[in-house]
């Protein structure tokens, strides 16, 4: 089983956005449960590794969470195989 850690700023941002999109936490909980069990990001979220070394998040995974048809949340994850953990980043 993988451990999931979230930066404080990630929690703050999700709390702020969830006022406008109440289902946001439910969606993140569902993704988190899947990631804990499988060690993978669900394919329907189009996970992809960021490889541009000039950007801050090179080496991290990004995926798209679509809510209400017109809001897209880009989520950044760092997968650590040695520790079997994911870090949610802001």
């Amino acid at each position: 089983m993988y451990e999931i850690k979230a930066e404080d700023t990630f929690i703050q941002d999700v709390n702020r956005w969830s006022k406008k999109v109440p289902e946001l936490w439910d969606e993140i909980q569902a993704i988190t449960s899947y990631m804990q069990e499988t060690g993978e990001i669900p394919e329907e979220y189009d996970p992809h590794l960021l490889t541009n070394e000039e950007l801050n998040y090179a080496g991290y995974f990004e995926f798209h969470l679509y809510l209400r048809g017109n809001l897209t949340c880009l989520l950044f994850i760092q997968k650590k195989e040695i520790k079997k953990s994911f870090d949610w980043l802001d």
Side-chain angles (χ1 to χ4, degrees):
M1 181 167 278
Y2 280 75
E3 178 184 358
I4 307 289
K5 296 183 229 170
E7 289 186 351
D8 290 340
T9 52
F10 175 81
I11 302 283
Q12 292 166 0
D13 286 347
V14 174
N15 282 335
R16 182 171 26 99
W17 278 101
S18 66
K19 291 175 185 170
K20 294 181 181 186
V21 185
E23 66 271 18
L24 181 58
W25 271 119
D26 292 338
E27 190 74 21
I28 289 175
Q29 289 285 16
I31 295 166
T32 298
S33 293
Y34 182 88
M35 290 168 54
Q36 283 178 311
E37 292 297 321
T38 67
E40 301 296 327
I41 301 165
E43 284 299 316
E44 64 259 26
Y45 296 103
D46 187 28
H48 47 281
L49 185 64
L50 300 176
T51 57
N52 185 340
E53 294 293 329
E54 296 178 19
L55 300 175
N56 292 340
Y57 292 109
Y60 290 72
F61 285 92
E62 174 191 53
F63 65 95
H64 303 260
L65 179 58
Y66 299 101
L67 299 164
R68 296 193 179 190
N70 60 353
L71 174 67
T72 302
C73 294
L74 300 179
L75 300 171
F76 299 94
I77 300 285
Q78 183 178 34
K79 184 176 182 180
K80 299 177 181 175
E81 281 295 335
I82 294 171
K83 292 197 229 173
K84 287 204 171 263
S85 69
F86 286 96
D87 294 338
W88 290 98
L89 305 171
D90 179 39

